Amino acid sequence: MAYRKAIDATSYVFDDLRDLLAKATPPRSGDRLAGIAAGSAEETIAARMALADLPLKQFLNEAVIPYEDDEVTRLIVDGHEAKAFAPVASLTVGAFRDWLLSDPATGEVLAQLAPGLMPEMAAAVSKLMRNQDLIQVAKKCEVTTRFRNTIGLRGRMSTRLQPNHPFDDIGGITASILDGLLLGSGDACIGINPASDDPAVIGGLLRRLDDIIVRFDIPTQGCVLTHVTTTLALIGQGYPVDLVFQSIAGTEAANRSFGVTLALLREAREAGLSLKRGTVGSNVMYFETGQGSALSANAHHGVDQQTLEARAYAVARVFDPLLVNSVVGFIGPEYLYDGKEIIRAGLEDHFCGKLLGAPLGVDVCYTNHAEADQDDMDNLLTLLAAAGVTFIMGVPGADDVMLNYQSTSFHDALYLRDLFGLGRAPEFDDWLVRMGLSGTDFRLSGNAGQLPDFAAKLIA
């Protein structure tokens, strides 16, 4: 179905819903690379005007990727809950934006709506929003998950302690973990990106994480971010796995490029649940996503990268994950060229994920060949905290020496906590008090001898 919009004497025609969504997207290098971006600012405005007039019900009738060609589309269509959608079923995309910004659209109302929203609806309305709109609506959304602690409560923000090492050196990783714990990081998880794909190495890392968490009774969860098939094999061999990790995308073809299918993810979740390692909940999955992943795999079907990112969140939410995060600037400037595009994408991702009911965190990051710097990341970091982001990364010095990209540090999280008065997961905050660590800088208070004792035991 073609869509038309005239501006003055010029009439713009958009071939189908896929084309309309692409042309309405704020500028980004990935869509330009794919050849689907609007040719001018005027064409973008025409597309947004046409999109604003589009009934939300149209998304039930027109798929951006055909149902018969893509298992993600089938998941989205078959899982749509008509009853949850009913309160907004009569709205256009533009009216939906206005309603989301209204007082009646409370956090409780949005939580009930989430199962009735298709990801393309969330992506569409985000394209009509200013940055402040994305922040205001996302702030309303509260998505809470649990494993050994409770993540996503209002007024709290968690961090993933990311102690990567270029050689998977246990000593170096342990030193980074100690650094992060002493600075109050790690309540989302302690998550290692391994340099090796050797199961023996990964198994050793799993055992080290388990030893630290159990020995010091830390209310958090460990994760080694290896391929889901490796994790499944290690579960079968009796290794201590808390969270099952996998990178995912918004199309079947892109997921296959990652070596996964929906059936495999279901199998992995069941394996994780079978271990019964959670103490306060059973959310066992951890997913990472990123705008441009489908395009980089030539698996985008001509759909814009932000809409595909929203579809990845629809995949994630089906598996009741503990954590989902957009690694927003990691893929590179071919997909998000500069700081402005990265900031916009980060806010879009957070908004769409939370609106769809996913526990969305953001790796506020960039690669060294992007037209971005740490000031851009400070801006996005602060905006996301204002929007109620579920979690961010904690990387020693904000410089990941294994993955070779720039992220956020333990001190960046302390800055946000001080600025916005944010707590951590309550169980983790209580643990820090029990360990004698307190205050925004986490110097010891009341037990000056405990820091060297804790440090000595950890690195032993």
Side-chain angles (χ1 to χ4, degrees):
M1 176 178 176
Y3 301 90
R4 292 174 172 81
K5 194 68 183 181
I7 296 181
D8 296 328
T10 304
S11 180
Y12 292 91
V13 179
F14 308 98
D15 296 337
D16 49 26
L17 183 56
R18 177 179 57 185
D19 187 41
L20 179 64
L21 289 169
K23 297 297 195 297
T25 304
R28 65 206 55 202
S29 54
D31 292 340
R32 295 191 292 272
L33 176 65
I36 59 175
S40 66
E42 188 175 70
E43 186 179 20
T44 298
I45 295 303
R48 291 180 186 171
M49 292 171 68
L51 185 60
D53 292 337
L54 186 73
L56 283 175
K57 286 184 176 179
Q58 182 60 24
F59 291 93
L60 301 175
N61 303 319
E62 185 178 357
V64 295
I65 303 174
Y67 182 92
E68 60 274 13
D69 294 344
D70 186 87
E71 69 170 356
V72 174
T73 299
R74 294 192 289 275
L75 178 78
I76 292 166
V77 173
D78 295 346
H80 180 256
E81 295 189 13
K83 184 177 180 181
F85 178 61
V88 298
S90 64
L91 300 181
T92 62
V93 176
F96 183 44
R97 170 195 174 275
D98 295 341
W99 179 81
L100 287 171
L101 290 165
S102 71
D103 291 339
T106 63
E108 294 75 14
V109 170
L110 294 179
Q112 294 170 2
L113 176 65
L117 290 180
M118 302 174 79
E120 293 86 353
M121 297 174 185
V125 74
S126 75
K127 298 174 193 297
L128 304 183
M129 289 179 152
R130 295 170 58 184
N131 285 2
Q132 67 175 244
D133 300 338
L134 298 172
I135 294 167
Q136 184 175 349
V137 176
K139 180 72 171 182
K140 299 181 186 184
C141 300
E142 184 175 348
V143 182
T144 305
T145 57
R146 294 173 176 85
F147 189 76
R148 290 201 188 96
N149 56 25
T150 306
I151 294 170
L153 294 171
R154 193 169 301 282
R156 296 179 182 271
M157 181 195 72
S158 296
T159 53
R160 170 190 157 193
L161 201 171
Q162 185 170 309
N164 298 342
H165 190 280
F167 308 113
D168 291 330
D169 179 74
I170 290 290
I173 288 171
T174 302
S176 292
I177 292 173
L178 174 62
D179 187 20
L181 290 173
L182 293 178
L183 288 165
S185 183
D187 55 330
C189 72
I190 304 174
I192 304 169
N193 295 91
S196 170
D197 58 2
D198 182 345
V201 173
I202 293 163
L205 295 175
L206 285 168
R207 292 201 188 283
R208 184 56 167 162
L209 288 177
D210 184 61
D211 171 68
I212 291 171
I213 290 170
V214 171
R215 190 150 47 103
F216 296 100
D217 193 25
I218 307 173
T220 191
Q221 32 285 326
C223 185
V224 178
L225 283 68
T226 188
H227 193 270
V228 66
T229 54
T230 303
T231 302
L232 273 170
L234 291 171
I235 289 175
Q237 295 171 38
Y239 281 87
V241 173
D242 290 342
L243 302 183
V244 178
F245 168 80
Q246 183 55 48
S247 295
I248 59 171
T251 73
E252 177 181 349
N255 283 326
R256 287 191 181 278
S257 78
F258 291 147
V260 297
T261 63
L262 298 180
L264 179 59
L265 294 178
R266 292 188 189 98
E267 179 186 354
R269 178 172 179 267
E270 290 304 313
L273 288 170
S274 72
L275 300 179
K276 295 181 169 57
R277 292 175 60 84
T279 56
V280 299
S282 57
N283 299 113
V284 298
M285 302 299 288
Y286 175 15
F287 295 118
E288 284 191 345
T289 68
Q291 286 195 29
S293 58
L295 175 59
S296 68
N298 195 28
H300 60 100
H301 297 271
V303 182
D304 71 273
Q305 64 185 39
Q306 190 256 332
T307 297
L308 293 180
E309 177 72 3
R311 282 168 57 99
Y313 305 146
V315 172
R317 67 179 176 179
V318 170
F319 298 97
D320 296 321
L322 181 76
L323 307 168
V324 181
N325 78 273
S326 164
V327 193
V328 65
F330 182 74
I331 302 181
E334 299 85 357
Y335 306 95
L336 295 168
Y337 177 70
D338 57 14
K340 183 178 178 65
E341 291 188 5
I342 293 171
I343 289 169
R344 175 68 190 190
L347 295 176
E348 289 169 347
D349 294 351
H350 181 250
F351 163 84
C352 288
K354 295 289 274 296
L355 188 63
L356 291 167
L360 224 290
V362 179
D363 187 346
V364 179
C365 63
Y366 66 103
T367 57
N368 288 314
H369 62 309
E371 291 295 321
D373 58 29
Q374 209 64 38
D375 285 337
D376 294 315
M377 299 306 104
D378 286 350
N379 292 342
L380 177 55
L381 186 70
T382 306
L383 294 172
L384 285 167
V389 69
T390 302
F391 69 101
I392 61 170
M393 304 298 113
V395 176
D399 183 3
D400 193 303
V401 295
M402 194 281 282
L403 292 174
N404 292 311
Y405 79 118
Q406 308 303 310
S407 185
T408 49
S409 72
F410 308 135
H411 295 86
D412 291 330
L414 296 181
Y415 148 72
L416 292 179
R417 297 192 194 289
D418 184 57
L419 184 65
F420 291 99
L422 298 170
R424 298 159 191 79
E427 301 89 346
F428 195 83
D429 264 340
D430 291 344
W431 177 80
L432 290 168
V433 172
R434 292 198 303 272
M435 294 302 295
L437 302 170
S438 63
T440 54
D441 62 358
F442 285 85
R443 297 188 181 98
L444 286 171
S445 61
N447 189 348
Q450 191 161 343
L451 174 56
D453 181 59
F454 171 62
K457 288 180 179 178
L458 181 58
I459 62 178

